[in-house]
């Protein structure tokens, strides 16, 4: 099997409400859908959601770099996923977001060629249930409380709360939210690098009574070596996010005993090849993991679900972003159940297609 063409689509998806973190405000998801075609008639799908402040990419850079990568990959066998990942790295440094979209599409093709679902192709098995959390954006205390109550009323098992724009105010936010939703629903928090070290320690100690599951990336990613200090002083577990891109980062974090948990995102890791290497590092150190994303559609989160079924140590799931979109152009793939369990089809590969009418409206670039 050989790659005959790679097509990139700018999929702009309006959000139902603004998504606000300590890193900024977004009212649209500007994603890249990738379609890879082959000489045997199989098509693979991938996706990324480039984010300048995390992976240093935009839609424009994805089109430019995507063209470079596609020109190198035409004629290659998409089933050789590890070799293609290495080839992309030899073509250009970083650009993990667009590489991940291509990587996912190649894995979709590899599994389809074996007529098996992706999780099985990756060596996984379905022996657990996956439930997503739902995120509350940074806002006024009153608005965040209202949003948290809505999340609970919709039946989500866990509320993820965005923080990081001021420790004392964040303490008030969490206290108000916990009082409003009660103690029978989980809360996890994400500061998105928003606190200084002392501020992080003080804030985490102050909200200890709120029964918080864990905190993602409390301080700036460049200060990852200071996470151990935060961790040792915090009564709340610490999860690496922005400072964890690939397996090399995982090794540094393990060696330094810096964090309790890992948060894997395919857009940071360059795709499934390196994500599996992170999982291997985590399993060797007995570190539990979360898999999450940026603002992708169900293409990416279907790949996430398949990956989650490859390790018993993947225990947390941040798979809510596809619910933020006003439109859903994905046909098939992962499905949200009424209780927010997520199930994936047993069909080959990712088990999905994309609405051609939607794609026809997207800016596109095809390399063949």
């Amino acid at each position: 099997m050989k790659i005959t063409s790679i097509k990139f689509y700018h999929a702009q998806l309006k959000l139902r409400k603004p998504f606000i973190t300590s890193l900024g405000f977004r009212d649209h998801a500007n994603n890249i859908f990738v379609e890879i075609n082959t000489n045997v008639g199989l098509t693979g799908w991938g996706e990324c959601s480039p984010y300048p402040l995390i992976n240093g990419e935009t839609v424009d850079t994805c089109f430019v770099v995507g063209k470079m990568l596609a020109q190198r990959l035409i004629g290659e066998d998409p089933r050789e996923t590890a070799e293609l990942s290495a080839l992309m790295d030899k073509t250009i440094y970083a650009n993990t977001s667009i590489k991940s979209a291509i990587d996912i599409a190649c894995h979709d093709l590899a599994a389809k060629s074996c007529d098996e679902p992706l999780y099985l192709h990756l060596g996984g098995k379905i022996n657990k249930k996956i439930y997503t959390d739902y995120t509350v954006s940074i806002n006024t205390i009153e608005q965040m409380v209202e949003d948290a109550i809505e999340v609970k009323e919709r039946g989500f098992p866990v509320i993820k709360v965005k923080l990081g724009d001021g420790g004392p105010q964040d303490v008030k936010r969490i206290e108000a939210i916990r009082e409003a939703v009660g103690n029978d629903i989980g809360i996890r928090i994400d500061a998105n690098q928003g606190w200084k070290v002392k501020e992080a320690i003080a804030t985490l100690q102050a909200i200890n009574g709120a029964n918080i599951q864990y905190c993602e990336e409390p301080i700036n990613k460049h200060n990852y070596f200071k996470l151990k200090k935060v961790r040792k002083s915090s009564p709340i577990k610490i999860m690496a996010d922005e400072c964890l891109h690939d397996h090399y980062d995982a090794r540094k974090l393990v060696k330094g005993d810096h964090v309790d948990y890992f948060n894997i995102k395919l857009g940071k890791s360059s795709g499934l090849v390196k994500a599996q290497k992170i999982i291997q590092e985590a399993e060797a150190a007995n570190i539990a993991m979360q898999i999450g994303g940026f603002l992708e559609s169900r293409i990416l989160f279907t790949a996430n679900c398949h990956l989650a079924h490859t390790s018993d140590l993947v225990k947390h799931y941040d798979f809510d972003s596809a619910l933020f979109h006003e439109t859903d152009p994905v046909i098939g793939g992962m499905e949200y159940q009424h209780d927010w369990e997520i199930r994936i089809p047993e069909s080959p590969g990712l088990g999905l297609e994309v609405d051609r009418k939607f794609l026809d409206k997207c800016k596109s670039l095809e390399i063949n």
Side-chain angles (χ1 to χ4, degrees), residues 233-248:
S233 301
S234 171
I236 296 168
K237 301 290 187 181
I238 302 300
M239 176 179 283
D241 183 1
E242 286 93 336
C243 66
L244 173 65
H245 281 240
D246 58 21
H247 50 298
Y248 296 111

Side-chain angles (χ1 to χ4, degrees), residues 49-94:
S49 185
Y51 195 15
L53 295 179
I54 294 180
N55 47 41
E57 295 170 84
T58 66
V59 167
D60 291 335
T61 69
C62 284
F63 269 85
V64 172
V65 175
K67 179 180 179 180
M68 293 174 58
L69 296 172
Q71 289 171 336
R72 290 292 299 272
L73 297 180
I74 297 296
E76 298 291 338
D77 188 339
R79 295 171 294 186
E80 302 297 331
T81 52
E83 288 77 2
L84 296 188
S85 178
L87 180 58
M88 288 194 286
D89 284 345
K90 290 179 181 178
T91 302
I92 189 169
Y93 173 74

Side-chain angles (χ1 to χ4, degrees), residues 307-355:
L307 179 63
H309 284 300
T310 66
S311 174
D312 291 338
L313 280 177
V314 177
K315 298 183 177 182
H316 308 291
Y317 317 98
D318 186 20
F319 292 175
D320 59 344
S321 298
L323 296 168
F324 301 170
H325 305 156
E326 286 192 352
T327 58
D328 179 7
V330 182
I331 302 166
M334 55 92 88
E335 294 183 349
Y336 297 100
Q337 307 302 304
H338 72 279
D339 59 352
W340 304 112
E341 180 190 355
I342 298 176
R343 297 177 185 173
I344 50 177
E346 288 291 328
S347 46
L350 293 173
L352 59 80
E353 298 293 335
V354 181
D355 184 354

